[in-house]
Each structure stands twice: as C-alpha cells, then as structure tokens.
Amino acid sequence: MRPPDAPRIALVLSGGGARGAYQVGVLRGLVEQGFLAQDRARVDILVGSSAGSINTAALAARADDLDNGLAALERIWREIHPARVYRTDVASLGRIGARWAWDLSFGGVIGRVQPKSLLDTTPLHTLLAEHIAFERIEANLARGRIGALATIATDLHTSNGVIFLAGAEETPVWTRRRWRIERTPIRLEHVLASSAIPIFFPSVAIGGRYFGDGSIRNTAPLSPAINLGADRIIAIGVSGPTPERVTASPLEPPTVAQVAAVLLDAVMLDAIEVDVEHSERVNTSVESHSTGRAHDPFRRVEVLWIRPSHLIRPLADEFADRLPAVVHYLLRGLGSDASVAELASYLLFDSTFCSKLIDLGHEDVVTERERIARFFDR
C-alpha cells in the first residue's frame, strides 16, 4: 500500500507504434538504477495512449511484481516480429490492396465502400491476449497496488476523445470539452482500440461504437494524470531530438510517404512534447504567483520528461528491409526508400529494431541518471 504522505507518481506513455519499445528500455533503466525499486518509489497512476496503452496495461497487470512483469514485457518486444502484429502473407495483403484499389476506382460509382484499414491486425489480438492477464488489473486495483489505469481512445463517429478509466470508487472523474470519461474494467478491446494506428490498423467496436488510436484527440496527454491527482509525472516520449534544418536546394516535392509521416508525427508524437512544455510554464507561474490558499486553481506538478537522445529515422532506415516484403512493396509505392523510413518506423515490429530501441532507452537513463535522481529526491 502507498503511504498516505507519499507523492502520487504517474506514468504517462505516448503513442508511436513500434517505437513503443523505447519506453520499455527507459522503464528497465529506472528499475535497475533503483528509482522505481519497491522501497523507493511506486507508480500509482498509469496513463497510456496507443502503443503506450499496451505497455501500461501490461505493467498494471503485473503491478504486484514489477521487476518480473517488466522482464516479461521486455521479452515481448525483443522477440516480436511483424507477423505477430499484422498479417503479412501475400494473400491477405493482396486482398486488402485489391479492396482499396476497387474502392478508389469504383466507390464513387456504386456509392458505397467497406470500412477497412491497410493492415489486418488479427495476430495482435492473439499476442495481447496471450501475454497480458487483464483480470489481474482489477485485482491489483482492488488491493491498492495501483490507484488508477487510464486508457485513451478516440470515438471515430463523434471525433471526441474517450478515457477508459479503471480505478477505485473514490477515483475522481472530471469534465473536459470534447472528451468523455467512462469507468470500466480495462480489457483487451480497450487496448486494441487505443493502439489502432490511423489508417493502418482497423478501428475497434466497443458497445456498438467504433474507436481508434487515442493519440488522435489527445492534445494534452498529461491532463488525465494531473486530474487523477498526480504530484509527479514520469512522461516517456518516443520522438528523438529536433532534426537539423534541411538546407539542400532545390528541394524535391514531398512524397505521399513523407506527408503521411508528418501527419503521424503530429498525431502520435508532438502533443506530449507540447504538453510537457506547457506544464513547465504552469509550474513557473505557480512559483511566481502562488498565494498558498487551498483553492488556488493551479498547483505544481513535477514532470520527468525522457525521450530518445538520437533520431529514430536513421535506425528505421537501417532496418527497413526487415519489413515484410509485401508491406515494403506497398510503402515503396508511396515514395523512395529514404522517404518511407519515418513511416516505416511505426510498423517495424522487428525484434532487432525494437531491441535497439530498448537498449537506447536504457542507455538514456544511465546517461541522465543525475537529472533523474533530482526528480525522485525532491
């Protein structure tokens, strides 16, 4: 049980497809360096969106044994391959490609298209069902091993954000424009919905409604953790440092792959960085203008922001040939090999690529140990 006077620590994990492996490396580093040791600090609130929802659900299910639970999650990422996430056989991808070609050519004539995605993620259903014991999440909540688990998704018919919230009865519920909070046990379908990458992965039906990736509407990723009472937040992103400005001239017009990658970056990666910057400004304002009164509308919330120290794109470019041949062929139709690298990084569920990201996350924690120690020592 968490001591009553202990700070409430939240873990916020963003989206990013295969890049989510980096988050596991960071968490492994935090445990090995003793920051998340059982006698030191405990994560009480978990908030996950897209790939982050998979990682937070896995951790919530093993909150009673974090070290072994994290080891099991790491094995999933280190042993993963595309066929365990989406169908990679020629027949399945051929049927999907044919349907898209048919609808683009004749959909306007017949006035009807079939709801679909570029990939069939049936294997992902099996993978998550095999490795995440969702029933253990409720048990860990009931025993106070975690305080709350929030899984973020997007209602694709209303375009509103939805927070699927599992927690004790006293867990606060708040209001937010264009958002809805639904108390519910977190199940496989909620995680699948949250991690349904736009266009690539199919939407997921829950209670007669269809949901997609939580990052689409999640413009303030830290907000659920703050509203759930977090005093400190560990936020782990999957976007590397800002790339250097391109000075070559003249530049070629961007390919479809480059435009799609920019859109996915904006949806999946940018929001958490902007929200961390916003939290820093709020903290500065609180320090400057706090009156000390209990009803002050703002309070200081410490945020530990960790993101890759290196760009992910060059690494994805190095291993892009590990994509299934048909998927690589389809992506190659959107642009050159160089232009599809960023896009491929979301779909490169390859053990070697993901292991590299895990190792990078671990190394970044070791490198930034002093900064991280200051966060936990406050």
Side-chain angles (χ1 to χ4, degrees), residues 226-281:
I226 294 171
N227 281 287
L228 287 167
D231 302 303
R232 299 179 185 177
I233 297 175
I234 304 168
I236 306 176
V238 294
S239 176
T242 303
E244 296 181 3
R245 182 177 178 181
V246 178
T247 57
S249 180
L251 294 174
E252 294 290 331
T255 65
V256 172
Q258 289 172 305
V259 174
V262 169
L263 291 174
L264 276 182
D265 281 359
V267 169
M268 309 278 278
L269 310 180
D270 292 352
I272 192 166
E273 295 191 20
V274 172
D275 209 21
V276 168
E277 292 177 357
H278 175 70
S279 72
E280 291 172 350
R281 290 195 297 270

Side-chain angles (χ1 to χ4, degrees), residues 44-338:
D44 192 57
I45 299 164
L46 297 102
V47 180
S49 178
S50 195
S53 71
I54 296 175
N55 291 334
T56 52
L59 293 175
R62 298 294 296 272
D64 56 326
D65 189 6
L66 177 62
D67 194 46
N68 286 326
L70 185 55
L73 180 60
E74 183 176 347
R75 281 196 301 273
I76 294 173
W77 283 101
R78 286 194 183 275
E79 297 173 2
I80 202 166
H81 51 90
R84 300 240 42 203
V85 179
Y86 48 83
R87 293 191 185 280
T88 60
D89 59 285
V90 174
S92 296
L93 290 171
R95 284 193 297 270
I96 293 173
R99 286 201 301 267
W100 274 81
W102 174 271
D103 286 345
L104 288 172
S105 300
F106 303 107
V109 176
I110 63 178
R112 182 176 64 85
V113 296
Q114 302 177 59
K116 61 182 69 67
S117 60
L118 283 173
L119 298 171
D120 179 351
T121 56
T122 300
L124 180 61
H125 299 206
T126 303
L127 177 67
L128 298 184
E130 288 177 352
H131 292 281
I132 301 179
F134 287 93
E135 69 281 358
R136 288 175 56 89
I137 297 176
E138 287 301 299
N140 285 327
L141 284 165
R143 294 169 184 168
R145 290 165 178 155
I146 53 174
L149 171 63
T151 300
I152 316 300
T154 303
D155 187 322
L156 295 177
H157 289 288
T158 66
S159 76
N160 290 335
V162 179
I163 299 173
F164 295 115
L165 178 62
E169 289 186 9
E170 62 271 18
T171 302
V173 173
W174 62 101
T175 58
R176 180 178 165 192
R177 185 175 177 271
R178 300 209 68 174
W179 280 83
R180 184 175 66 255
I181 301 168
E182 297 188 8
R183 287 184 177 273
T184 179
I186 301 301
R187 299 287 186 249
L188 173 62
E189 60 268 24
H190 300 107
V191 173
L192 288 171
S194 178
S195 55
I197 301 174
I199 307 299
F200 290 97
F201 289 6
S203 58
V204 177
I206 303 175
R209 293 171 295 159
Y210 284 85
F211 297 89
D213 199 290
S215 299
I216 298 174
R217 178 57 65 185
N218 198 19
T219 55
L222 304 186
S223 176
I226 294 171
N227 281 287
L228 287 167
D231 302 303
R232 299 179 185 177
I233 297 175
I234 304 168
I236 306 176
V238 294
S239 176
T242 303
E244 296 181 3
R245 182 177 178 181
V246 178
T247 57
S249 180
L251 294 174
E252 294 290 331
T255 65
V256 172
Q258 289 172 305
V259 174
V262 169
L263 291 174
L264 276 182
D265 281 359
V267 169
M268 309 278 278
L269 310 180
D270 292 352
I272 192 166
E273 295 191 20
V274 172
D275 209 21
V276 168
E277 292 177 357
H278 175 70
S279 72
E280 291 172 350
R281 290 195 297 270
V282 170
N283 284 340
T284 300
S285 178
V286 168
E287 289 177 350
S288 302
H289 302 96
S290 176
T291 64
R293 293 193 295 265
H295 62 274
D296 276 350
F298 297 104
R299 61 187 175 90
R300 181 176 181 84
V301 178
E302 298 285 349
V303 178
L304 173 63
W305 170 234
I306 303 176
R307 70 173 186 176
S309 56
H310 303 294
L311 290 172
I312 304 298
R313 177 175 175 171
L315 188 62
D317 192 24
E318 180 182 349
F319 294 102
D321 60 351
R322 292 178 177 267
L323 279 170
V326 180
V327 175
H328 191 271
Y329 173 79
L330 292 174
L331 291 180
R332 187 64 177 78
L334 302 178
S336 65
D337 286 340

